[in-house]
Amino acid sequence: QGCAQKYIVKNYFYYYLFKFSAALGEEIFYITFLPFTYWNIDHSVSRRMIIIWSIVMYIGQVSKDILKWPRPLSPPVVKLEMRTDAEYGMPSTHAMAATAISFSFLTATTNQYKYPFELGLVAAFVFSMLVCLSRLYTGMHTVLDVIGGALISAVLLMLLYPAWDMIDHLLLTSPFCPLLSIVVPLVLCYNYPKLDYYSPTRGDTTTILGAGAGATVGFWLNNQYAAPAYTGENLQLGIPLITSKIVVVVLARFFVGIFVVLLTRQLMKSVVLGVLGYRYKFPIGDLEARRRLEVEVPYKFITYSSVGFSATVIVPLLHKLLGLM
């Protein structure tokens, strides 16, 4: 437990393909792709993806700690990841997130942009399949874990799809949205299922719900004071004929935005941990103290809600000031 296993790579193509595919279900992907969609493609598509992602991931994480199905035994499998080994296996949240993000993106863009539906369907299937297969290759899940995760995500998408427009409208226009967007996720985080030992699932869930909460507050503020979503005005670039100028603008938006997002995360992480360390009398580097409920939840929720807010409010304002809109 917690010790890296020795293994010999016999096929480097599969090794790097599935290591990369596994990263498509982790924070590095979420913190780049979801904001990129908001900054450069379409606000409404991004809103739907973030809400679906938050709901699906919360249900998946909680299901793991309720079902408590173990991960594959090692040996016989070789585990290429160590951090998530402390979590339970069923369902695979990588499979859930990949299915939710790819197919919600397909569904949200089908009626807004002209492209072959078959091509979009194949792309969504390939994306989700690569992530699912990566969980088997890296030894982190059984086939049943992966199939269960994909099916749960598909069912949730079908159940939520009819209410997409209503949920989106309420999140943008309800005066209670900012309060509920903060209070409900916090209540869920503080009442997360308790385990007999520490697992990163509560921290990961808090990270996801925090980012979703901050982004949702940002959506509401933008609709109220910046660019109302139902007036036909928008800040997105869209998908017109690609030109060199558009590519430069897209890349500039992305790199400026990512810099601000990463800076926000680092700054808020330092500030919040410093305040909590002073309040509960522990050094910032004390990993065990940072895993306590009263520290982990506010630390991760405040940090990542700030990231979500920064990505949806601060970054677009900066883009406007720099002439990138």
Side-chain angles (χ1 to χ4, degrees):
Q1 289 290 333
C3 297
Q5 295 172 286
K6 293 182 179 181
Y7 54 85
I8 298 173
V9 178
K10 296 182 178 180
N11 188 313
Y12 280 95
F13 174 76
Y14 289 138
Y15 177 76
Y16 287 114
L17 173 65
F18 290 124
K19 289 286 282 184
F20 173 77
S21 300
L24 297 179
E26 296 172 359
E27 182 186 358
I28 189 172
F29 174 74
Y30 304 142
I31 209 169
T32 53
F33 178 71
L34 294 177
F36 178 88
T37 305
Y38 188 76
W39 300 329
N40 290 304
I41 299 179
D42 191 290
H43 285 184
S44 63
V45 172
S46 182
R47 288 197 304 268
R48 285 162 169 76
M49 289 173 61
I50 290 173
I51 298 305
I52 292 293
W53 168 68
S54 301
I55 294 173
V56 165
M57 288 298 288
Y58 174 76
I59 291 175
Q61 295 285 77
V62 169
S63 298
K64 281 186 179 184
D65 289 340
I66 291 177
L67 294 174
K68 298 183 179 180
W69 286 22
R71 289 185 182 269
L73 293 176
S74 178
V77 305
V78 175
K79 296 184 178 180
L80 305 187
E81 298 176 12
M82 285 295 106
R83 179 186 177 275
T84 55
D85 195 32
E87 300 178 6
Y88 289 107
M90 178 68 172
S92 167
T93 46
H94 273 71
M96 293 183 70
T99 303
I101 287 177
S102 58
F103 284 94
S104 62
F105 182 82
L106 171 67
T107 307
T109 57
T110 296
N111 296 325
Q112 297 196 42
Y113 300 104
K114 293 182 179 179
Y115 64 87
F117 176 77
E118 295 77 9
L119 179 62
L121 184 62
V122 169
F125 179 80
V126 169
F127 177 89
S128 56
M129 183 58 67
L130 281 174
V131 175
C132 290
L133 290 176
S134 75
R135 307 316 289 158
L136 302 179
Y137 183 88
T138 55
M140 302 311 297
H141 286 286
T142 65
V143 174
L144 187 58
D145 295 343
V146 170
I147 293 175
L151 286 178
I152 292 171
S153 189
V155 170
L156 288 172
L157 278 173
M158 288 188 290
L159 292 175
L160 291 170
Y161 177 72
W164 268 22
D165 291 337
M166 181 187 71
I167 294 172
D168 189 49
H169 180 76
L170 288 174
L171 290 178
L172 291 174
T173 60
S174 173
F176 302 106
C177 173
L179 178 63
L180 293 177
S181 296
I182 299 297
V183 172
V184 172
L186 270 177
V187 170
L188 293 176
C189 292
Y190 274 108
N191 290 276
Y192 193 82
K194 293 179 175 59
L195 298 176
D196 296 332
Y197 64 93
Y198 178 79
S199 167
T201 49
R202 184 183 65 202
D204 291 345
T205 304
T206 306
T207 294
I208 293 164
L209 293 184
T216 303
V217 173
F219 298 152
W220 185 86
L221 283 174
N222 285 338
N223 187 66
Q224 298 298 316
Y225 302 106
Y230 294 98
T231 63
E233 300 177 22
N234 55 66
L235 300 176
Q236 68 267 25
L237 183 66
I239 309 180
L241 181 65
I242 301 299
T243 66
S244 58
K245 182 180 179 180
I246 289 172
V247 171
V248 170
V249 171
V250 166
L251 291 176
R253 286 183 180 181
F254 176 72
F255 286 115
V256 167
I258 288 299
F259 174 77
V260 173
V261 164
L262 294 178
L263 181 64
T264 300
R265 183 177 67 169
Q266 188 59 40
L267 179 63
M268 293 306 298
K269 179 180 178 180
S270 300
V271 171
V272 175
L273 275 179
V275 172
L276 291 172
Y278 177 79
R279 168 67 177 82
Y280 293 107
K281 311 300 181 187
F282 68 87
I284 292 179
D286 188 343
L287 184 60
E288 288 301 317
R290 286 164 56 174
R291 289 175 170 179
R292 287 155 42 189
L293 174 68
E294 65 271 21
V295 175
E296 184 177 58
V297 170
Y299 147 52
K300 295 208 167 185
F301 191 87
I302 294 172
T303 298
Y304 284 91
S305 61
S306 300
V307 167
F309 183 83
S310 176
T312 54
V313 176
I314 306 301
V315 172
L317 287 176
L318 185 57
H319 285 165
K320 191 171 184 178
L321 287 174
L322 294 175
L324 297 174
M325 301 308 299

